[in-house]
Amino acid sequence: MRTQRAPQYRRRLGLVAVAAVTAVTVAACGGSDDDKGKGGKDGKSGDRASEAPKNLKVGQAGPVQEITKYKTTGKFSITPTKVVLGKPEDLKELDDDKKYGGKKVAWIYVKAKHVGGEAVKQPIVMTNVNAETSDGNPATKFILIGTLSSQPEDCVGNDGKRELGREDIWKKGEERTVCEPYLIPADATVKAVTYSQGFYKEPIKWALR
């Protein structure tokens, strides 16, 4: 454990983690207008969603997706770039074996580029991202309050790396790599990264090489 990143007092004050529903379920259930991930302002894929291409590999760009936030909609190129697997013992510092025993973290990285449409403030890039594990089940989105000491140093949340002091608005040409954690079984691996297109279209899938 790297104490400089997760000091003891911080853990005592409450390093809390919540295993949320899977991203696929979140996308299916929907949310507020400001949090729709893609498919237009009504949050439904309908005819706007692209047909899921076949045989994509991590590192290859998928079809352009629409992401809406604060009633503006931009078009984004989505490219999963890599998956970093943690170890089961990384979760020990959460001190909840009942909840996290038999699990480990998969850190999923996605490069997003604004390629058209309106400028969007604080788009939620990872809303529809998930992973398929080697046991055939989806990963579980991991909502983490605080940081695990095992978090990779280049794993940056939804904002990605941006110039300090600059308003978080994505305009055409803006490109960032974002990263978020997911829970998978301790003995599993990630077989593919997925991007949900809602009820009516097959998810886009990128196989790990």
Side-chain angles (χ1 to χ4, degrees):
M1 186 182 301
R2 299 196 298 276
T3 55
Q4 66 271 26
R5 299 196 62 195
Q8 186 66 30
Y9 79 89
R10 184 173 184 176
R11 294 199 302 277
R12 288 203 302 268
L13 288 175
L15 179 59
V16 182
V18 180
V21 293
T22 65
V24 172
T25 303
V26 171
C29 293
S32 68
D33 286 344
D34 287 345
D35 289 333
K36 299 304 181 187
K38 47 102 201 81
K41 296 180 181 179
D42 61 0
K44 295 180 181 179
S45 298
D47 293 334
R48 291 191 181 192
S50 303
E51 293 291 343
K54 306 297 183 184
N55 303 317
L56 283 173
K57 303 288 187 183
V58 165
Q60 295 178 320
V64 171
Q65 300 294 317
E66 290 185 343
I67 298 179
T68 298
K69 189 74 182 287
Y70 299 124
K71 304 186 185 303
T72 60
T73 301
K75 296 181 179 181
F76 291 79
S77 171
I78 303 295
T79 308
T81 58
K82 66 177 178 179
V83 177
V84 175
L85 295 180
K87 300 176 181 179
E89 51 265 33
D90 295 339
L91 295 168
K92 293 291 186 182
E93 66 188 84
L94 297 177
D95 196 26
D96 194 341
D97 287 342
K98 184 177 181 180
K99 183 180 290 186
Y100 302 112
K103 296 180 175 64
K104 65 185 177 186
V105 181
W107 306 92
I108 297 179
Y109 293 70
V110 171
K111 181 173 68 176
K113 183 175 182 179
H114 188 296
V115 296
E118 301 170 282
V120 183
K121 183 177 180 179
Q122 299 173 344
I124 307 299
V125 171
M126 300 294 281
T127 296
N128 297 313
V129 174
N130 206 312
E132 182 180 303
T133 65
S134 55
D135 64 4
N137 293 313
T140 301
K141 202 168 184 75
F142 193 28
I143 299 176
L144 184 64
I145 301 174
T147 58
L148 289 174
S149 59
S150 58
Q151 179 170 331
E153 291 185 1
D154 64 346
C155 182
V156 183
N158 185 75
D159 289 345
K161 288 186 177 180
R162 70 178 194 274
E163 185 179 337
L164 292 176
R166 196 175 91 192
E167 192 172 8
D168 190 16
I169 296 178
W170 293 47
K171 300 177 181 179
K172 188 173 181 179
E174 183 88 27
E175 181 180 288
R176 302 179 197 170
T177 295
V178 300
C179 167
E180 286 191 355
Y182 295 75
L183 287 175
I184 66 173
D187 58 354
T189 59
V190 171
K191 190 166 72 172
V193 177
T194 61
Y195 191 96
S196 172
Q197 299 194 104
F199 286 112
Y200 307 106
K201 296 289 182 179
E202 182 182 356
I204 304 167
K205 186 181 296 187
W206 292 263
L208 267 71
R209 298 180 185 276

